[in-house]
Amino acid sequence: DAGVIQSPRHEVTEMGQEVTLRCKPISGHDYLFWYRQTMMRGLELLIYFNNNVPIDDSGMPEDRFSAKMPNASFSTLKIQPSEPRDSAVYFCATKMGTGNTEAFFGQGTRLTVV
Amino acid sequence: QQQVKQSPQSLIVQKGGISIINCAYENTAFDYFPWYQQFPGKGPALLIAIRPDVSEKKEGRFTISFNKSAKQFSLHIMDSQPGDSATYFCAASWPGAGGGADGLTFGKGTHLIIQP
């Protein structure tokens, strides 16, 4: 398996534009997580899905952020409209089963909003 | 509320020395404590993990020590090598059983540099 695949790796956009980040989970993994990493706040959990259903979105910072998982092979994180303070590295991670199982991270999308 | 506190923020160790990173947690419901290693431009990768029913776990040069009563756990890297230079994150989670807590709560990270 190629691991968790995120695209794009880098995204530069202007303030006010819509941004869509994509994630392809490892086949068979039933949990998918979106994290955001910044110098100030570290790694923060934004939202996670179990069997394509959103379970906890309490980490989503604002209504400008939304995430979907239309099927077991694909998830998106959308920011509309984007703001400079959204600049960060966004990671998707997946795992199999609940509890003490390893979460595998993608390589991340570095988002810069100018 | 920062539920997992990690220290130090940065650490410089000589090659061959012992690197020690500490974490403290607040939520007694946590029952899984992994350490992740992250290299520049890469996503975090699991290094080693422990459950609270044991006080120590060792894998090669990496050891987790766990103190349940103090709500603290630490990572020890023995015989530290330049290739160990990376950012290390402690984390914690508890099984949600549908209750919504399967995600990891991370410490702020420790930037470790091993000098040759």
Side-chain angles (χ1 to χ4, degrees), chain B residues 11-26:
Chain B
L11 180 63
I12 299 175
V13 175
Q14 294 296 316
K15 178 183 175 182
I18 303 174
S19 304
I20 302 174
I21 304 171
N22 301 299
C23 282
Y25 63 97
E26 299 169 6

Side-chain angles (χ1 to χ4, degrees), chain A residues 35 37 48 56 98 100 103 107, chain B residues 32 36 38 42 100-102 104:
Chain A
Y35 289 90
Q37 185 175 36
Y48 79 91
D56 184 359
T98 189
N100 306 328
Q107 297 216 60
Chain B
Y32 176 62
Y36 278 77
Q38 185 180 29
K42 303 293 186 182
D102 284 89
L104 293 165

Side-chain angles (χ1 to χ4, degrees), chain B residues 75-92:
Chain B
L75 175 69
H76 291 63
I77 305 175
M78 310 300 289
D79 187 26
S80 299
Q81 299 297 312
D84 297 330
S85 297
T87 301
Y88 292 81
F89 295 93
C90 61

Side-chain angles (χ1 to χ4, degrees), chain A residues 18-83:
Chain A
E18 177 181 296
V19 176
T20 299
L21 311 181
R22 297 173 175 79
C23 176
K24 177 178 169 54
I26 294 173
S27 177
H29 283 196
D30 55 347
Y31 281 81
L32 184 142
F33 306 83
W34 283 100
Y35 289 90
R36 178 172 68 176
Q37 185 175 36
T38 61
M39 289 295 293
M40 288 296 296
R41 301 175 68 88
L43 275 159
E44 302 174 280
L45 177 63
L46 300 178
I47 184 171
Y48 79 91
F49 297 82
N50 176 220
N51 291 321
N52 314 335
V53 176
I55 301 300
D56 184 359
D57 66 354
S58 61
M60 297 285 261
E62 300 173 35
D63 291 345
R64 298 183 295 107
F65 286 70
S66 62
K68 294 182 179 180
M69 192 164 186
N71 57 62
S73 302
F74 185 64
S75 177
T76 60
L77 177 67
K78 184 178 295 186
I79 307 172
Q80 164 66 16
S82 57
E83 297 183 4

